[in-house]
Amino acid sequence: MEIFVIYWLLVGVLFTIGIVQLIMKSVKNQPVKPALKLIIASVILVVVGAGACAVILSNLSIGH
C-alpha cells in the first residue's frame, strides 16, 4: 500500500517541478519545452495511476 503513496508523491513532485520550471523559464525568456515535457509526463502518470487504482479497487470487490 505504501508504494501507492510513494507513486502519488513522486507524481506531485514531478508536476510541481514542472510548474516551477515553467514559471522561472518564462520569466527569463528561456525555452519552456523541458518544463512542458515534465508537466505532460506527470499528467500521463496521473491518468495511468488513476486507471491502475480503479482496476485494483474493482478487483477487491469481486471476492467470493
Side-chain angles (χ1 to χ4, degrees):
M1 192 65 170
E2 62 274 351
I3 191 119
F4 292 124
V5 175
I6 294 170
Y7 178 82
W8 290 114
L9 285 175
L10 289 176
V11 170
V13 167
L14 187 67
F15 183 75
T16 305
I17 290 171
I19 293 292
V20 169
Q21 276 190 0
L22 182 71
I23 293 169
M24 291 176 64
K25 288 180 182 268
S26 64
V27 166
K28 295 180 181 180
N29 291 327
Q30 295 177 344
V32 295
K33 192 172 182 179
L36 291 175
K37 285 183 180 181
L38 280 176
I39 294 170
I40 290 170
S42 67
V43 169
I44 290 171
L45 288 172
V46 166
V47 171
V48 169
C53 285
V55 168
I56 290 169
L57 290 175
S58 68
N59 286 336
L60 290 177
S61 64
I62 296 179
H64 294 290

